[in-house]
Amino acid sequence: MSNNFGMSNNFNPDDLTPVVIAGLRTDETDEEFEHTLQELESLCEACDLEVKGTLTQTLPHPDNATWIGSGKAEELRISVCAVEAEYVVCLGNLSPSQMKNLQKIVEVPVWDRTNLILEIFSRRARTREATLQVECAYLQYMMPRLTGMWQHLGRQSGGGGSRANKGEGEKQIELDKRIISHRITELKKELTQIEKTRDVQRQGRVRDGFPHVALVGYTNAGKSSLMNKLIDMGDTSVDKAAGKKVFEENMLFATLDTSIRKISIPGRKPFLLSDTVGFIENIPHDLIKAFRSTLSEVKYADVLLIVIDSSDPHYKAHKKITEDTLRDLDALTIPKIYVYNKSDLRDSDLTIKNHPGSDSVFISARTGYGIDDLLDALQDIFRSGNRTIDVLIPYTSGDLLNRIHNEAEVLYESHEADDTHVKADCPSSLADFIEKTLGK
Ligand SMILES: Nc1nc2c(ncn2[C@@H]2O[C@H](COP(=O)(O)OP(=O)(O)OP(=O)(O)O)[C@@H](O)[C@H]2O)c(=O)[nH]1
Ligand SMILES: [Mg+2]
């Protein structure tokens, strides 16, 4: 991805880039403001930026011209010089003109929160789909901001407004806008193609008849850690091999690409589990739109595991943000289990016993506490979608009979001349698969 500030290029993980954070407080409480500032620092860390200073301002509403007001902007310039910061990162989203004006005063590039999140995403994207999605969101973000980039060429308009009379800067902006629009169209075309392939793959998985469970939740809640824990508990050594494990790390947005794994735990019905990008407060709108197809794994899941970091003092707000994002994705009505993770960090949680039938389970992906209760809750949901099948399985289709034995509850079984007569309480996905295979 081409970046106007060029940070993605020649990136060396050992180099931390010095930055100063600028925070603008309008009507937030002390506590809320402090929390969002801390989260911005964590986002900076996730982007290999070293926060050398923080400057805050309180105003009834953002200043139209410079966002934090011209006096504070001057103070910011002095801080930037003092610590030799290479960027200013703002807590909030700035309009294109606020960004341009502030940049002029502080004399280093200014990033807002959206820009920072886009930069993290561009570094994490691994698959073709994620890379294209981020590029598309980035270009959409850049479009209205092009004006600021060409101000050095000036607007030497000769008046009259005809094309021929436009200044160099303005011509360059128009040209760039055309190139970017064209690129966005190309990206969208390719993404639609990838989405089609994804649909075909999903239909293939539906045909396999395994229930599909999706991990969702705020970034850093422990979704990938839970996936790895379940892979570890699996019964095939192949699944435990490093290649099957997903990346988990104490940083925001460690996961960007969707991973799907089959989880086969002895004595439990196998299911497919997908791990997806985490959510965050005020997630940039273009980014959500860009990631809609990746997040479609969530929309088509049979069960959602909403993972919550119960040790985070703001876990209730994180839960609400997750629910709001799921509502935007039309996924809030899917059966769900609230998984309160990191119980090991909260003494009180370890005295809480999980109750069968509840939609909340306390676990620790690190110690394994409560994972069996979580699996019980999952199996209860699978069972609630069960139906009874009454079928004749030819002796030549031993694999089907095996799956019934492994994944369903056999109510009746007798061996006839050519086939086995079975009645079984089956997950509906498996029942559909068996009846389709037998041509019923
Ligand atoms: N103490 C403790 N730490 C945990 C637990 N589960 C996860 N962690 C840690 O929390 C951090 C984040 O874990 P991840 O699994 O990467 O979180 P995630 O939800 O996948 O995060 P994103 O991919 O950024 O959305 C890592 O440092 C994990 O080791 C837990 O049960 N207890
Ligand atoms: Mg993750």
Side-chain angles (χ1 to χ4, degrees), residues 124 216-228 246-256 275-279 307 309 311 340-345 363-369:
R124 299 275 190 281
V216 290
Y218 210 74
T219 177
N220 217 40
K223 301 177 291 298
S224 303
S225 306
L226 176 55
M227 182 168 210
N228 285 338
V246 293
F247 179 59
E248 55 175 80
E249 185 62 57
N250 189 16
M251 64 161 74
L252 304 189
F253 297 121
T255 304
L256 201 61
D275 181 23
T276 47
V277 58
F279 303 150
V307 184
D309 176 353
S311 72
Y340 290 92
N341 189 32
K342 307 196 189 179
S343 290
D344 55 298
L345 298 178
I363 68 147
S364 165
R366 182 162 291 175
T367 66
Y369 172 81

mmCIF file of all heavy atoms in Angstrom, residues 124 216-228 246-256 275-279 307 309 311 340-345 363-369, ligand 1:
data_model
loop_
_atom_site.group_PDB
_atom_site.id
_atom_site.type_symbol
_atom_site.label_atom_id
_atom_site.label_comp_id
_atom_site.label_asym_id
_atom_site.label_seq_id
_atom_site.Cartn_x
_atom_site.Cartn_y
_atom_site.Cartn_z
ATOM 1 N N ARG A 124 -0.554 -5.336 9.369
ATOM 2 C CA ARG A 124 -0.948 -6.688 9.779
ATOM 3 C C ARG A 124 -1.514 -7.526 8.624
ATOM 4 O O ARG A 124 -1.553 -8.732 8.726
ATOM 5 C CB ARG A 124 -2.023 -6.630 10.852
ATOM 6 C CG ARG A 124 -1.637 -5.956 12.097
ATOM 7 C CD ARG A 124 -0.914 -6.870 13.073
ATOM 8 N NE ARG A 124 -0.816 -6.174 14.317
ATOM 9 C CZ ARG A 124 0.075 -5.223 14.566
ATOM 10 N NH1 ARG A 124 0.986 -4.929 13.658
ATOM 11 N NH2 ARG A 124 0.070 -4.581 15.712
ATOM 12 N N VAL A 216 -15.817 -13.665 18.462
ATOM 13 C CA VAL A 216 -15.895 -12.218 18.216
ATOM 14 C C VAL A 216 -15.599 -11.489 19.520
ATOM 15 O O VAL A 216 -15.649 -12.084 20.597
ATOM 16 C CB VAL A 216 -17.295 -11.776 17.705
ATOM 17 C CG1 VAL A 216 -17.556 -12.255 16.309
ATOM 18 C CG2 VAL A 216 -18.392 -12.249 18.644
ATOM 19 N N GLY A 217 -15.288 -10.215 19.417
ATOM 20 C CA GLY A 217 -15.069 -9.444 20.644
ATOM 21 C C GLY A 217 -14.090 -8.326 20.447
ATOM 22 O O GLY A 217 -13.488 -8.173 19.381
ATOM 23 N N TYR A 218 -13.929 -7.549 21.510
ATOM 24 C CA TYR A 218 -13.036 -6.394 21.498
ATOM 25 C C TYR A 218 -11.609 -6.869 21.248
ATOM 26 O O TYR A 218 -11.239 -7.981 21.621
ATOM 27 C CB TYR A 218 -13.112 -5.695 22.857
ATOM 28 C CG TYR A 218 -12.868 -4.220 22.797
ATOM 29 C CD1 TYR A 218 -13.836 -3.367 22.281
ATOM 30 C CD2 TYR A 218 -11.687 -3.664 23.276
ATOM 31 C CE1 TYR A 218 -13.622 -1.998 22.231
ATOM 32 C CE2 TYR A 218 -11.467 -2.295 23.239
ATOM 33 C CZ TYR A 218 -12.443 -1.468 22.710
ATOM 34 O OH TYR A 218 -12.233 -0.116 22.656
ATOM 35 N N THR A 219 -10.801 -6.021 20.637
ATOM 36 C CA THR A 219 -9.418 -6.405 20.385
ATOM 37 C C THR A 219 -8.680 -6.671 21.701
ATOM 38 O O THR A 219 -8.924 -5.986 22.699
ATOM 39 C CB THR A 219 -8.704 -5.333 19.517
ATOM 40 O OG1 THR A 219 -7.351 -5.716 19.356
ATOM 41 C CG2 THR A 219 -8.753 -3.943 20.121
ATOM 42 N N ASN A 220 -7.819 -7.709 21.697
ATOM 43 C CA ASN A 220 -7.008 -8.102 22.850
ATOM 44 C C ASN A 220 -7.790 -8.834 23.950
ATOM 45 O O ASN A 220 -7.289 -8.998 25.061
ATOM 46 C CB ASN A 220 -6.296 -6.878 23.465
ATOM 47 C CG ASN A 220 -4.903 -7.225 23.968
ATOM 48 O OD1 ASN A 220 -4.174 -7.979 23.320
ATOM 49 N ND2 ASN A 220 -4.532 -6.720 25.121
ATOM 50 N N ALA A 221 -9.019 -9.271 23.654
ATOM 51 C CA ALA A 221 -9.833 -9.966 24.672
ATOM 52 C C ALA A 221 -9.365 -11.392 24.901
ATOM 53 O O ALA A 221 -9.641 -11.996 25.939
ATOM 54 C CB ALA A 221 -11.298 -9.967 24.241
ATOM 55 N N GLY A 222 -8.650 -11.959 23.902
ATOM 56 C CA GLY A 222 -8.166 -13.331 24.050
ATOM 57 C C GLY A 222 -8.827 -14.314 23.087
ATOM 58 O O GLY A 222 -8.836 -15.522 23.337
ATOM 59 N N LYS A 223 -9.349 -13.826 21.968
ATOM 60 C CA LYS A 223 -10.025 -14.702 20.996
ATOM 61 C C LYS A 223 -9.050 -15.722 20.413
ATOM 62 O O LYS A 223 -9.327 -16.923 20.377
ATOM 63 C CB LYS A 223 -10.632 -13.863 19.850
ATOM 64 C CG LYS A 223 -11.637 -12.840 20.318
ATOM 65 C CD LYS A 223 -12.165 -11.980 19.191
ATOM 66 C CE LYS A 223 -11.134 -11.026 18.621
ATOM 67 N NZ LYS A 223 -10.633 -10.029 19.598
ATOM 68 N N SER A 224 -7.888 -15.224 19.953
ATOM 69 C CA SER A 224 -6.918 -16.132 19.325
ATOM 70 C C SER A 224 -6.357 -17.106 20.359
ATOM 71 O O SER A 224 -6.115 -18.281 20.055
ATOM 72 C CB SER A 224 -5.779 -15.340 18.685
ATOM 73 O OG SER A 224 -6.304 -14.426 17.758
ATOM 74 N N SER A 225 -6.172 -16.634 21.596
ATOM 75 C CA SER A 225 -5.664 -17.517 22.655
ATOM 76 C C SER A 225 -6.653 -18.646 22.912
ATOM 77 O O SER A 225 -6.264 -19.800 23.115
ATOM 78 C CB SER A 225 -5.454 -16.739 23.958
ATOM 79 O OG SER A 225 -4.640 -15.629 23.732
ATOM 80 N N LEU A 226 -7.955 -18.312 22.896
ATOM 81 C CA LEU A 226 -8.971 -19.348 23.125
ATOM 82 C C LEU A 226 -8.967 -20.342 21.964
ATOM 83 O O LEU A 226 -9.064 -21.556 22.168
ATOM 84 C CB LEU A 226 -10.355 -18.687 23.292
ATOM 85 C CG LEU A 226 -11.535 -19.623 23.438
ATOM 86 C CD1 LEU A 226 -11.342 -20.607 24.596
ATOM 87 C CD2 LEU A 226 -12.837 -18.834 23.660
ATOM 88 N N MET A 227 -8.809 -19.826 20.746
ATOM 89 C CA MET A 227 -8.759 -20.725 19.592
ATOM 90 C C MET A 227 -7.574 -21.692 19.753
ATOM 91 O O MET A 227 -7.709 -22.902 19.569
ATOM 92 C CB MET A 227 -8.616 -19.937 18.310
ATOM 93 C CG MET A 227 -8.608 -20.811 17.072
ATOM 94 S SD MET A 227 -8.797 -19.767 15.640
ATOM 95 C CE MET A 227 -9.610 -20.776 14.485
ATOM 96 N N ASN A 228 -6.416 -21.157 20.130
ATOM 97 C CA ASN A 228 -5.228 -22.005 20.281
ATOM 98 C C ASN A 228 -5.416 -23.028 21.401
ATOM 99 O O ASN A 228 -4.968 -24.168 21.295
ATOM 100 C CB ASN A 228 -3.996 -21.140 20.555
ATOM 101 C CG ASN A 228 -3.533 -20.430 19.280
ATOM 102 O OD1 ASN A 228 -3.849 -20.869 18.166
ATOM 103 N ND2 ASN A 228 -2.811 -19.345 19.434
ATOM 104 N N VAL A 246 -2.891 -20.019 15.668
ATOM 105 C CA VAL A 246 -3.006 -18.651 15.150
ATOM 106 C C VAL A 246 -2.174 -17.710 16.024
ATOM 107 O O VAL A 246 -1.796 -18.040 17.138
ATOM 108 C CB VAL A 246 -4.486 -18.183 15.088
ATOM 109 C CG1 VAL A 246 -5.257 -18.974 14.063
ATOM 110 C CG2 VAL A 246 -5.155 -18.261 16.452
ATOM 111 N N PHE A 247 -1.912 -16.521 15.489
ATOM 112 C CA PHE A 247 -1.047 -15.553 16.167
ATOM 113 C C PHE A 247 -1.795 -14.907 17.339
ATOM 114 O O PHE A 247 -2.889 -14.384 17.177
ATOM 115 C CB PHE A 247 -0.640 -14.494 15.142
ATOM 116 C CG PHE A 247 0.243 -13.409 15.678
ATOM 117 C CD1 PHE A 247 1.468 -13.708 16.248
ATOM 118 C CD2 PHE A 247 -0.150 -12.076 15.608
ATOM 119 C CE1 PHE A 247 2.289 -12.689 16.737
ATOM 120 C CE2 PHE A 247 0.657 -11.056 16.086
ATOM 121 C CZ PHE A 247 1.882 -11.370 16.657
ATOM 122 N N GLU A 248 -1.218 -14.982 18.545
ATOM 123 C CA GLU A 248 -1.801 -14.289 19.694
ATOM 124 C C GLU A 248 -0.729 -13.404 20.308
ATOM 125 O O GLU A 248 0.446 -13.775 20.354
ATOM 126 C CB GLU A 248 -2.334 -15.298 20.736
ATOM 127 C CG GLU A 248 -1.302 -16.305 21.210
ATOM 128 C CD GLU A 248 -1.812 -17.211 22.332
ATOM 129 O OE1 GLU A 248 -2.522 -18.179 21.998
ATOM 130 O OE2 GLU A 248 -1.481 -16.950 23.506
ATOM 131 N N GLU A 249 -1.079 -12.241 20.728
ATOM 132 C CA GLU A 249 -0.071 -11.312 21.231
ATOM 133 C C GLU A 249 -0.745 -10.207 22.038
ATOM 134 O O GLU A 249 -1.876 -9.834 21.741
ATOM 135 C CB GLU A 249 0.675 -10.704 20.018
ATOM 136 C CG GLU A 249 1.825 -9.810 20.351
ATOM 137 C CD GLU A 249 2.944 -10.520 21.120
ATOM 138 O OE1 GLU A 249 3.469 -11.527 20.606
ATOM 139 O OE2 GLU A 249 3.268 -10.060 22.242
ATOM 140 N N ASN A 250 -0.010 -9.700 23.032
ATOM 141 C CA ASN A 250 -0.570 -8.628 23.834
ATOM 142 C C ASN A 250 -0.435 -7.291 23.098
ATOM 143 O O ASN A 250 0.396 -6.458 23.436
ATOM 144 C CB ASN A 250 0.139 -8.583 25.190
ATOM 145 C CG ASN A 250 -0.551 -7.636 26.136
ATOM 146 O OD1 ASN A 250 -1.707 -7.250 25.899
ATOM 147 N ND2 ASN A 250 0.133 -7.234 27.182
ATOM 148 N N MET A 251 -1.200 -7.123 22.077
ATOM 149 C CA MET A 251 -1.218 -5.863 21.324
ATOM 150 C C MET A 251 -2.572 -5.729 20.655
ATOM 151 O O MET A 251 -3.254 -6.725 20.416
ATOM 152 C CB MET A 251 -0.107 -5.838 20.268
ATOM 153 C CG MET A 251 -0.273 -6.879 19.198
ATOM 154 S SD MET A 251 0.646 -6.551 17.719
ATOM 155 C CE MET A 251 2.282 -6.910 18.190
ATOM 156 N N LEU A 252 -2.963 -4.486 20.384
ATOM 157 C CA LEU A 252 -4.260 -4.284 19.740
ATOM 158 C C LEU A 252 -4.161 -4.697 18.271
ATOM 159 O O LEU A 252 -3.151 -4.474 17.625
ATOM 160 C CB LEU A 252 -4.687 -2.820 19.862
ATOM 161 C CG LEU A 252 -4.761 -2.260 21.278
ATOM 162 C CD1 LEU A 252 -5.412 -0.884 21.286
ATOM 163 C CD2 LEU A 252 -5.514 -3.187 22.211
ATOM 164 N N PHE A 253 -5.209 -5.308 17.797
ATOM 165 C CA PHE A 253 -5.305 -5.772 16.408
ATOM 166 C C PHE A 253 -4.181 -6.743 16.011
ATOM 167 O O PHE A 253 -3.563 -6.599 14.960
ATOM 168 C CB PHE A 253 -5.343 -4.594 15.428
ATOM 169 C CG PHE A 253 -6.548 -3.732 15.613
ATOM 170 C CD1 PHE A 253 -6.428 -2.392 15.923
ATOM 171 C CD2 PHE A 253 -7.812 -4.273 15.502
ATOM 172 C CE1 PHE A 253 -7.541 -1.595 16.115
ATOM 173 C CE2 PHE A 253 -8.939 -3.495 15.708
ATOM 174 C CZ PHE A 253 -8.796 -2.149 16.005
ATOM 175 N N ALA A 254 -3.922 -7.726 16.888
ATOM 176 C CA ALA A 254 -2.947 -8.764 16.539
ATOM 177 C C ALA A 254 -3.479 -9.580 15.357
ATOM 178 O O ALA A 254 -2.732 -9.991 14.483
ATOM 179 C CB ALA A 254 -2.682 -9.661 17.744
ATOM 180 N N THR A 255 -4.784 -9.818 15.334
ATOM 181 C CA THR A 255 -5.391 -10.614 14.263
ATOM 182 C C THR A 255 -6.092 -9.706 13.272
ATOM 183 O O THR A 255 -6.833 -8.815 13.668
ATOM 184 C CB THR A 255 -6.469 -11.565 14.846
ATOM 185 O OG1 THR A 255 -5.862 -12.352 15.851
ATOM 186 C CG2 THR A 255 -7.082 -12.446 13.774
ATOM 187 N N LEU A 256 -5.848 -9.951 12.007
ATOM 188 C CA LEU A 256 -6.569 -9.192 10.990
ATOM 189 C C LEU A 256 -7.275 -10.128 10.003
ATOM 190 O O LEU A 256 -8.377 -9.864 9.567
ATOM 191 C CB LEU A 256 -5.590 -8.285 10.236
ATOM 192 C CG LEU A 256 -6.237 -7.123 9.548
ATOM 193 C CD1 LEU A 256 -6.926 -6.221 10.542
ATOM 194 C CD2 LEU A 256 -5.187 -6.328 8.805
ATOM 195 N N ASP A 275 -11.692 -17.334 13.742
ATOM 196 C CA ASP A 275 -11.130 -16.236 14.534
ATOM 197 C C ASP A 275 -11.075 -15.027 13.611
ATOM 198 O O ASP A 275 -10.620 -15.140 12.478
ATOM 199 C CB ASP A 275 -9.709 -16.637 14.965
ATOM 200 C CG ASP A 275 -9.046 -15.580 15.825
ATOM 201 O OD1 ASP A 275 -9.762 -14.779 16.441
ATOM 202 O OD2 ASP A 275 -7.798 -15.574 15.892
ATOM 203 N N THR A 276 -11.578 -13.900 14.089
ATOM 204 C CA THR A 276 -11.638 -12.733 13.184
ATOM 205 C C THR A 276 -11.040 -11.501 13.843
ATOM 206 O O THR A 276 -10.656 -11.517 15.001
ATOM 207 C CB THR A 276 -13.106 -12.412 12.813
ATOM 208 O OG1 THR A 276 -13.862 -12.420 14.007
ATOM 209 C CG2 THR A 276 -13.677 -13.384 11.834
ATOM 210 N N VAL A 277 -11.002 -10.438 13.065
ATOM 211 C CA VAL A 277 -10.466 -9.156 13.533
ATOM 212 C C VAL A 277 -11.260 -8.666 14.750
ATOM 213 O O VAL A 277 -12.473 -8.850 14.826
ATOM 214 C CB VAL A 277 -10.524 -8.137 12.366
ATOM 215 C CG1 VAL A 277 -11.920 -7.938 11.839
ATOM 216 C CG2 VAL A 277 -9.939 -6.795 12.770
ATOM 217 N N GLY A 278 -10.542 -8.068 15.723
ATOM 218 C CA GLY A 278 -11.217 -7.560 16.923
ATOM 219 C C GLY A 278 -11.905 -6.229 16.649
ATOM 220 O O GLY A 278 -11.609 -5.549 15.675
ATOM 221 N N PHE A 279 -12.827 -5.881 17.539
ATOM 222 C CA PHE A 279 -13.533 -4.606 17.393
ATOM 223 C C PHE A 279 -12.889 -3.558 18.300
ATOM 224 O O PHE A 279 -12.151 -3.895 19.220
ATOM 225 C CB PHE A 279 -15.007 -4.765 17.772
ATOM 226 C CG PHE A 279 -15.731 -5.817 16.978
ATOM 227 C CD1 PHE A 279 -16.792 -6.524 17.534
ATOM 228 C CD2 PHE A 279 -15.362 -6.112 15.673
ATOM 229 C CE1 PHE A 279 -17.471 -7.501 16.807
ATOM 230 C CE2 PHE A 279 -16.028 -7.076 14.930
ATOM 231 C CZ PHE A 279 -17.087 -7.780 15.505
ATOM 232 N N VAL A 307 -16.166 -12.982 23.175
ATOM 233 C CA VAL A 307 -15.084 -13.058 24.164
ATOM 234 C C VAL A 307 -14.880 -11.673 24.784
ATOM 235 O O VAL A 307 -14.757 -10.674 24.082
ATOM 236 C CB VAL A 307 -13.778 -13.564 23.505
ATOM 237 C CG1 VAL A 307 -12.687 -13.727 24.552
ATOM 238 C CG2 VAL A 307 -14.024 -14.887 22.783
ATOM 239 N N ASP A 309 -12.698 -9.516 27.878
ATOM 240 C CA ASP A 309 -11.593 -9.527 28.859
ATOM 241 C C ASP A 309 -12.176 -9.062 30.189
ATOM 242 O O ASP A 309 -12.336 -7.865 30.430
ATOM 243 C CB ASP A 309 -10.479 -8.584 28.386
ATOM 244 C CG ASP A 309 -9.347 -8.467 29.395
ATOM 245 O OD1 ASP A 309 -9.483 -9.003 30.513
ATOM 246 O OD2 ASP A 309 -8.329 -7.828 29.064
ATOM 247 N N SER A 311 -10.956 -8.953 33.018
ATOM 248 C CA SER A 311 -10.041 -8.266 33.933
ATOM 249 C C SER A 311 -9.920 -6.786 33.566
ATOM 250 O O SER A 311 -9.308 -6.015 34.288
ATOM 251 C CB SER A 311 -8.657 -8.928 33.883
ATOM 252 O OG SER A 311 -8.007 -8.619 32.664
ATOM 253 N N TYR A 340 -16.467 -14.839 29.435
ATOM 254 C CA TYR A 340 -15.681 -13.900 30.253
ATOM 255 C C TYR A 340 -14.297 -14.493 30.473
ATOM 256 O O TYR A 340 -14.110 -15.365 31.320
ATOM 257 C CB TYR A 340 -16.416 -13.610 31.570
ATOM 258 C CG TYR A 340 -17.653 -12.778 31.330
ATOM 259 C CD1 TYR A 340 -18.895 -13.378 31.108
ATOM 260 C CD2 TYR A 340 -17.573 -11.394 31.263
ATOM 261 C CE1 TYR A 340 -20.028 -12.617 30.844
ATOM 262 C CE2 TYR A 340 -18.695 -10.619 30.995
ATOM 263 C CZ TYR A 340 -19.915 -11.235 30.790
ATOM 264 O OH TYR A 340 -21.018 -10.474 30.513
ATOM 265 N N ASN A 341 -13.340 -14.007 29.689
ATOM 266 C CA ASN A 341 -11.993 -14.586 29.685
ATOM 267 C C ASN A 341 -11.092 -13.891 30.713
ATOM 268 O O ASN A 341 -11.468 -12.892 31.320
ATOM 269 C CB ASN A 341 -11.424 -14.449 28.262
ATOM 270 C CG ASN A 341 -10.132 -15.193 28.082
ATOM 271 O OD1 ASN A 341 -9.906 -16.238 28.710
ATOM 272 N ND2 ASN A 341 -9.238 -14.670 27.257
ATOM 273 N N LYS A 342 -9.883 -14.422 30.852
ATOM 274 C CA LYS A 342 -8.846 -13.894 31.756
ATOM 275 C C LYS A 342 -9.303 -13.926 33.214
ATOM 276 O O LYS A 342 -8.967 -13.048 34.009
ATOM 277 C CB LYS A 342 -8.396 -12.487 31.338
ATOM 278 C CG LYS A 342 -7.950 -12.392 29.870
ATOM 279 C CD LYS A 342 -7.153 -11.150 29.548
ATOM 280 C CE LYS A 342 -6.924 -11.017 28.044
ATOM 281 N NZ LYS A 342 -6.172 -9.833 27.639
ATOM 282 N N SER A 343 -10.114 -14.943 33.555
ATOM 283 C CA SER A 343 -10.578 -15.097 34.938
ATOM 284 C C SER A 343 -9.412 -15.244 35.894
ATOM 285 O O SER A 343 -9.520 -14.888 37.060
ATOM 286 C CB SER A 343 -11.458 -16.332 35.057
ATOM 287 O OG SER A 343 -12.662 -16.125 34.402
ATOM 288 N N ASP A 344 -8.280 -15.780 35.386
ATOM 289 C CA ASP A 344 -7.111 -15.972 36.261
ATOM 290 C C ASP A 344 -6.600 -14.647 36.820
ATOM 291 O O ASP A 344 -5.919 -14.610 37.840
ATOM 292 C CB ASP A 344 -5.989 -16.687 35.491
ATOM 293 C CG ASP A 344 -5.602 -15.970 34.210
ATOM 294 O OD1 ASP A 344 -6.464 -15.834 33.306
ATOM 295 O OD2 ASP A 344 -4.473 -15.521 34.089
ATOM 296 N N LEU A 345 -6.932 -13.540 36.148
ATOM 297 C CA LEU A 345 -6.470 -12.229 36.621
ATOM 298 C C LEU A 345 -7.448 -11.600 37.614
ATOM 299 O O LEU A 345 -7.191 -10.544 38.154
ATOM 300 C CB LEU A 345 -6.278 -11.267 35.435
ATOM 301 C CG LEU A 345 -5.229 -11.690 34.402
ATOM 302 C CD1 LEU A 345 -5.180 -10.682 33.256
ATOM 303 C CD2 LEU A 345 -3.856 -11.792 35.048
ATOM 304 N N ILE A 363 -14.041 -18.130 31.960
ATOM 305 C CA ILE A 363 -12.962 -19.036 31.575
ATOM 306 C C ILE A 363 -11.607 -18.335 31.702
ATOM 307 O O ILE A 363 -11.528 -17.122 31.913
ATOM 308 C CB ILE A 363 -13.092 -19.523 30.108
ATOM 309 C CG1 ILE A 363 -12.845 -18.347 29.124
ATOM 310 C CG2 ILE A 363 -14.411 -20.179 29.820
ATOM 311 C CD1 ILE A 363 -12.189 -18.780 27.829
ATOM 312 N N SER A 364 -10.549 -19.130 31.539
ATOM 313 C CA SER A 364 -9.223 -18.552 31.317
ATOM 314 C C SER A 364 -8.592 -19.346 30.181
ATOM 315 O O SER A 364 -8.345 -20.547 30.323
ATOM 316 C CB SER A 364 -8.363 -18.665 32.578
ATOM 317 O OG SER A 364 -7.020 -18.432 32.214
ATOM 318 N N ALA A 365 -8.368 -18.662 29.068
ATOM 319 C CA ALA A 365 -7.731 -19.347 27.933
ATOM 320 C C ALA A 365 -6.311 -19.723 28.324
ATOM 321 O O ALA A 365 -5.733 -20.669 27.791
ATOM 322 C CB ALA A 365 -7.723 -18.437 26.711
ATOM 323 N N ARG A 366 -5.742 -19.000 29.298
ATOM 324 C CA ARG A 366 -4.361 -19.277 29.706
ATOM 325 C C ARG A 366 -4.272 -20.521 30.578
ATOM 326 O O ARG A 366 -3.472 -21.404 30.322
ATOM 327 C CB ARG A 366 -3.786 -18.069 30.447
ATOM 328 C CG ARG A 366 -2.345 -18.279 30.851
ATOM 329 C CD ARG A 366 -1.653 -16.995 31.166
ATOM 330 N NE ARG A 366 -1.436 -16.172 29.989
ATOM 331 C CZ ARG A 366 -0.918 -14.946 30.028
ATOM 332 N NH1 ARG A 366 -0.577 -14.414 31.175
ATOM 333 N NH2 ARG A 366 -0.736 -14.262 28.918
ATOM 334 N N THR A 367 -5.127 -20.618 31.612
ATOM 335 C CA THR A 367 -5.005 -21.762 32.543
ATOM 336 C C THR A 367 -5.926 -22.912 32.157
ATOM 337 O O THR A 367 -5.763 -24.021 32.651
ATOM 338 C CB THR A 367 -5.362 -21.336 33.981
ATOM 339 O OG1 THR A 367 -6.755 -20.992 33.999
ATOM 340 C CG2 THR A 367 -4.536 -20.153 34.446
ATOM 341 N N GLY A 368 -6.911 -22.649 31.342
ATOM 342 C CA GLY A 368 -7.851 -23.717 30.971
ATOM 343 C C GLY A 368 -9.081 -23.722 31.857
ATOM 344 O O GLY A 368 -10.031 -24.479 31.629
ATOM 345 N N TYR A 369 -9.117 -22.838 32.869
ATOM 346 C CA TYR A 369 -10.267 -22.771 33.775
ATOM 347 C C TYR A 369 -11.558 -22.534 32.978
ATOM 348 O O TYR A 369 -11.601 -21.650 32.108
ATOM 349 C CB TYR A 369 -10.056 -21.622 34.789
ATOM 350 C CG TYR A 369 -11.254 -21.342 35.645
ATOM 351 C CD1 TYR A 369 -11.526 -22.130 36.763
ATOM 352 C CD2 TYR A 369 -12.143 -20.318 35.314
ATOM 353 C CE1 TYR A 369 -12.646 -21.884 37.540
ATOM 354 C CE2 TYR A 369 -13.263 -20.070 36.090
ATOM 355 C CZ TYR A 369 -13.509 -20.852 37.196
ATOM 356 O OH TYR A 369 -14.615 -20.615 37.960
HETATM 357 N N1 LIG B 1 -3.791 -13.709 31.971
HETATM 358 C C1 LIG B 1 -4.413 -14.068 30.848
HETATM 359 N N2 LIG B 1 -4.002 -13.554 29.679
HETATM 360 C C2 LIG B 1 -4.665 -13.941 28.560
HETATM 361 C C3 LIG B 1 -5.738 -14.858 28.582
HETATM 362 N N3 LIG B 1 -6.180 -15.028 27.318
HETATM 363 C C4 LIG B 1 -5.399 -14.254 26.529
HETATM 364 N N4 LIG B 1 -4.468 -13.607 27.270
HETATM 365 C C5 LIG B 1 -3.457 -12.661 26.780
HETATM 366 O O1 LIG B 1 -4.111 -11.531 26.219
HETATM 367 C C6 LIG B 1 -3.370 -11.035 25.104
HETATM 368 C C7 LIG B 1 -4.268 -10.928 23.882
HETATM 369 O O2 LIG B 1 -4.615 -12.218 23.470
HETATM 370 P P1 LIG B 1 -5.081 -12.539 21.968
HETATM 371 O O3 LIG B 1 -5.545 -13.955 22.001
HETATM 372 O O4 LIG B 1 -4.035 -12.168 20.980
HETATM 373 O O5 LIG B 1 -6.329 -11.548 21.857
HETATM 374 P P2 LIG B 1 -7.313 -11.332 20.617
HETATM 375 O O6 LIG B 1 -8.701 -11.171 21.166
HETATM 376 O O7 LIG B 1 -7.117 -12.391 19.604
HETATM 377 O O8 LIG B 1 -6.799 -9.913 20.096
HETATM 378 P P3 LIG B 1 -6.850 -9.275 18.608
HETATM 379 O O9 LIG B 1 -6.375 -10.282 17.638
HETATM 380 O O10 LIG B 1 -5.959 -8.100 18.757
HETATM 381 O O11 LIG B 1 -8.275 -8.854 18.375
HETATM 382 C C8 LIG B 1 -2.178 -11.992 24.923
HETATM 383 O O12 LIG B 1 -1.047 -11.446 25.560
HETATM 384 C C9 LIG B 1 -2.638 -13.253 25.639
HETATM 385 O O13 LIG B 1 -1.549 -14.010 26.149
HETATM 386 C C10 LIG B 1 -6.137 -15.388 29.860
HETATM 387 O O14 LIG B 1 -7.060 -16.181 29.996
HETATM 388 N N5 LIG B 1 -5.433 -14.941 30.943
#
